[in-house]
Amino acid sequence: MKVKKMLQSERLKLRVLEEQDGSMIVVWRNQKEVIDQLFSYVGITAKQHFNWYEKYINDDTRLEFIIEIKDKKKPIGTIGLNNIDFKNQKAELGIMIGELTEQGKGYGEEAVRSLLQYAFDELNLQKIYLKTFCDNEPAVRLYKKVGFHQEGILRKEIFKNGKFKDVIIMSILKDEWKR
Ligand SMILES: CC(C)(COP(=O)(O)OP(=O)(O)OC[C@H]1O[C@@H](n2cnc3c(N)ncnc32)[C@H](O)[C@@H]1OP(=O)(O)O)[C@@H](O)C(=O)NCCC(=O)NCCS
């Protein structure tokens, strides 16, 4: 069972993902600009998303939110925690601003700050980590800006678009988190 949680920040609302969000997510996930930055090689079909969702609703290690602009009531992407591990008090963060015209406006940063606050203060996690391509400049800059540190580089980790790509692992600890 998923918590019925809603997070609010200045411009955004993060609401827990629902079944009817599926068609929108499929559109977002099939854009070349998004696919290029994810570790998957291709987009997803509606059927694949539905199968993923069926597993997701009973998976206590994942919590996905839809990012919505409050004023416009406009969904623009997803953010979530996966591999939630209460024993070791850590989880992995993932984010996608799927509405490409809404990228670069500070929404990604605001959503990450909102989720970190929830993860540290309410879920009482001690560490949030993530992996992204080293050459994903917007993502790496965003994560550094909110206080993530580099843990290491996985060299030539993923073969994509004809070349081997390095992956950076970053993390932020509860003690380092500045609201
Ligand atoms: C990475 C992503 C989440 C960033 O979200 P965003 O809303 O576009 O980013 P923001 O507007 O909040 O920017 C925050 C910081 O990121 C950096 N940034 C954002 N867009 C950038 C760009 N096009 N080029 C370089 N840096 C950029 C900047 O440092 C910015 O800080 P600044 O405003 O002080 O310059 C978004 O571009 C995205 O979803 N991309 C596709 C999927 C993806 O890459 N997900 C992450 C992989 S795990």
Side-chain angles (χ1 to χ4, degrees):
M1 260 309 269
K2 296 294 173 195
V3 287
K4 279 279 170 214
K5 190 72 197 172
M6 196 210 286
L7 311 180
Q8 303 252 19
S9 57
E10 192 189 337
R11 297 176 297 167
L12 301 177
K13 179 168 103 177
L14 307 189
R15 62 164 178 81
V16 168
L17 175 79
E18 291 176 349
E19 190 174 349
Q20 56 266 33
D21 297 314
S23 52
M24 193 168 64
I25 288 171
V26 171
V27 171
W28 290 336
R29 284 285 305 272
N30 282 292
Q31 302 168 108
K32 184 179 181 311
E33 294 84 347
V34 171
I35 296 170
D36 279 350
Q37 299 303 348
L38 303 182
F39 298 152
S40 50
Y41 301 96
V42 290
I44 51 166
T45 64
K47 177 89 174 100
Q48 282 168 332
H49 177 76
F50 181 77
N51 290 342
W52 173 88
Y53 185 82
E54 290 282 285
K55 286 201 198 106
Y56 162 78
I57 39 175
N58 294 311
D59 182 351
D60 291 336
T61 69
R62 296 194 76 121
L63 189 56
E64 289 287 330
F65 294 88
I66 292 288
I67 306 169
E68 252 182 49
I69 302 175
K70 282 198 283 195
D71 283 2
K72 302 189 208 165
K73 293 192 171 57
K74 180 183 178 186
I76 59 167
T78 63
I79 188 167
L81 297 173
N82 53 67
N83 297 321
I84 300 171
D85 173 351
F86 284 110
K87 186 163 173 274
N88 294 300
Q89 291 176 261
K90 62 180 184 167
E92 181 172 1
L93 182 145
I95 179 170
M96 162 186 71
I97 303 293
E99 290 292 329
L100 302 181
T101 56
E102 304 293 355
Q103 289 186 355
K105 298 179 180 174
Y107 293 128
E109 180 183 344
E110 192 172 320
V112 169
R113 288 185 190 279
S114 196
L115 190 65
L116 287 179
Q117 185 167 357
Y118 174 65
F120 289 136
D121 289 351
E122 293 193 46
L123 296 182
N124 199 26
L125 299 177
Q126 293 296 324
K127 172 175 175 171
I128 301 297
Y129 63 97
L130 58 88
K131 289 183 195 168
T132 192
F133 287 124
C134 287
D135 64 4
N136 187 350
E137 199 184 328
V140 174
R141 280 182 54 184
L142 182 162
Y143 299 138
K144 282 188 178 156
K145 198 176 169 189
V146 300
F148 280 81
H149 295 270
Q150 176 177 324
E151 286 205 352
I153 305 280
L154 301 171
R155 296 181 300 156
K156 296 196 187 306
E157 176 75 0
I158 306 263
F159 185 75
K160 194 161 177 187
N161 297 339
K163 59 177 183 179
F164 288 102
K165 290 170 69 87
D166 292 349
V167 166
I168 183 170
I169 303 179
M170 304 180 83
S171 67
I172 183 168
L173 306 179
K174 186 173 186 173
D175 293 347
E176 299 164 342
W177 166 239
K178 294 180 192 67
R179 287 153 189 89

